[in-house]
Amino acid sequence: MNKSQWRKALKQLLLSMGKEERKVKSEAISNLLFQTEEWKTADCFGITVSRGFELDTSYIINQAWREGKTVAVPKCYSEHKQMEFRKIHSYEELENVYMDLYEPKIDVTLCIEPSQMNMILVPGLVFDKEGFRIGYGGGYFDRYLHSYDGSKLSLAYTLQTTDSLPHENYDIPVDSIITEDGRFK
């Protein structure tokens, strides 16, 4: 399958998951993340705010705030296909933008430089054993990761993993993927 076919197939698979199954698996994956050295040592990390069909990131964001960690959420600039991370203290600092994404409000948040983050939780639809992923097609994360040297983890349901995916020279693999069945790569 090509990337477009992978995206379509995985979106359908994610949409077919039941609410309770999504909740249970999201909590299990989050709890596995909290046990990692990357989580324990990260004082500032990047994460997306999940949409309804995605792995629920609210558990992670809320736990980070409880632990006093800095939570940075991406803000995308479609005209330049660029992205930056901005520090949020509450969900009220977010706004619903295109494609039902929640991004930081510029007037109430501060930009976080790549060097300030210890870890980025890189989103995607499907991941392979080498850490390559197929995202949503905008290329924002691949461009951003070229200037980022910290830990790159992804969280996914096991059904979002496969042995091998098509990838390009500019694609940047993540260091590892955490699923409800454990960690790989």
Side-chain angles (χ1 to χ4, degrees):
M1 287 196 290
N2 64 31
K3 287 185 177 186
S4 177
Q5 292 166 320
W6 274 107
R7 282 186 192 98
K8 185 177 180 181
L10 264 295
K11 279 183 189 175
Q12 288 303 315
L13 205 52
L14 289 171
L15 286 166
S16 72
M17 278 183 78
K19 194 176 195 176
E20 186 60 27
E21 179 185 10
R22 182 175 287 110
K23 180 182 185 297
V24 168
K25 289 181 179 181
S26 292
E27 287 177 357
I29 293 165
S30 298
N31 287 330
L32 289 172
L33 170 68
F34 302 149
Q35 296 170 29
T36 67
E37 196 59 32
E38 292 92 342
W39 175 265
K40 292 175 185 175
T41 59
D43 55 1
C44 177
F45 72 99
I47 187 169
T48 58
V49 177
S50 56
R51 295 179 285 175
F53 65 91
E54 298 172 318
L55 186 139
D56 188 348
T57 58
S58 67
Y59 304 109
I60 299 160
I61 294 168
N62 293 333
Q63 181 65 26
W65 285 332
R66 282 192 291 274
E67 292 182 24
K69 295 180 185 293
T70 297
V71 176
V73 173
K75 171 71 180 162
C76 296
Y77 299 95
S78 58
E79 63 276 4
H80 299 96
K81 293 275 192 190
Q82 296 296 315
M83 166 177 97
E84 66 184 9
F85 280 85
R86 301 185 72 84
K87 179 180 180 177
I88 64 165
H89 300 92
S90 74
Y91 293 106
E92 285 76 38
E93 295 175 337
L94 299 169
E95 61 185 339
N96 191 317
V97 295
Y98 63 94
M99 293 176 56
D100 203 31
L101 293 171
Y102 281 88
E103 293 187 349
K105 297 175 186 173
I106 293 178
D107 57 337
V108 295
T109 59
L110 296 174
C111 185
I112 299 288
E113 296 299 321
S115 61
Q116 293 176 271
M117 289 187 288
N118 311 93
M119 171 179 69
I120 294 179
L121 297 174
V122 182
L125 286 166
V126 61
F127 304 85
D128 73 14
K129 303 285 188 223
E130 295 178 60
F132 288 103
R133 66 187 185 86
I134 294 177
Y136 294 90
Y140 291 93
F141 270 86
D142 285 315
R143 279 188 284 284
Y144 189 88
L145 292 175
H146 277 284
S147 62
Y148 176 72
D149 293 326
S151 296
K152 298 176 292 295
L153 302 178
S154 287
L155 309 176
Y157 305 118
T158 300
L159 62 83
Q160 291 177 266
T161 62
T162 189
D163 289 333
S164 181
L165 289 170
H167 58 272
E168 313 299 330
N169 291 337
Y170 54 81
D171 289 338
I172 297 189
V174 296
D175 302 322
S176 62
I177 297 109
I178 299 172
T179 72
E180 70 271 20
D181 293 325
R183 181 176 182 159
F184 67 91
K185 187 187 180 266

